[in-house]
Amino acid sequence: MASILDSIGKLVHGTATSLIDNQVTDKLADAINTAVKSGFDVIKDSLKVVQDVTKPADDTPPNGGP
């Protein structure tokens, strides 16, 4: 029984070591960050298009202005 637990412990240790040595967590975080930023960039660009399309003809600010 101890042999099985030792084997599992070695496997877990080896896996954790490989993940850390290969910087998997850092690379994954960078990939997720890039994907999220790209998504928000698309939203920002879409909002700019909506803003341009819905711009009042007489250039009155949306709140009525002075």
Side-chain angles (χ1 to χ4, degrees):
M1 185 67 168
S3 172
I4 293 173
L5 293 177
D6 288 342
S7 296
I8 292 172
K10 288 178 183 178
L11 177 64
V12 170
H13 176 75
T15 301
T17 300
S18 294
L19 290 172
I20 292 169
D21 291 347
N22 292 314
Q23 300 175 337
V24 172
T25 55
D26 293 335
K27 292 175 184 176
L28 184 59
D30 288 344
I32 291 170
N33 185 40
T34 299
V36 170
K37 183 171 180 346
S38 296
F40 279 106
D41 287 343
V42 169
I43 292 169
K44 181 180 176 182
D45 291 343
S46 298
L47 288 172
K48 286 180 180 181
V49 170
V50 169
Q51 184 182 31
D52 289 343
V53 169
T54 60
K55 183 177 180 181
D58 63 358
D59 293 333
T60 304
N63 62 2

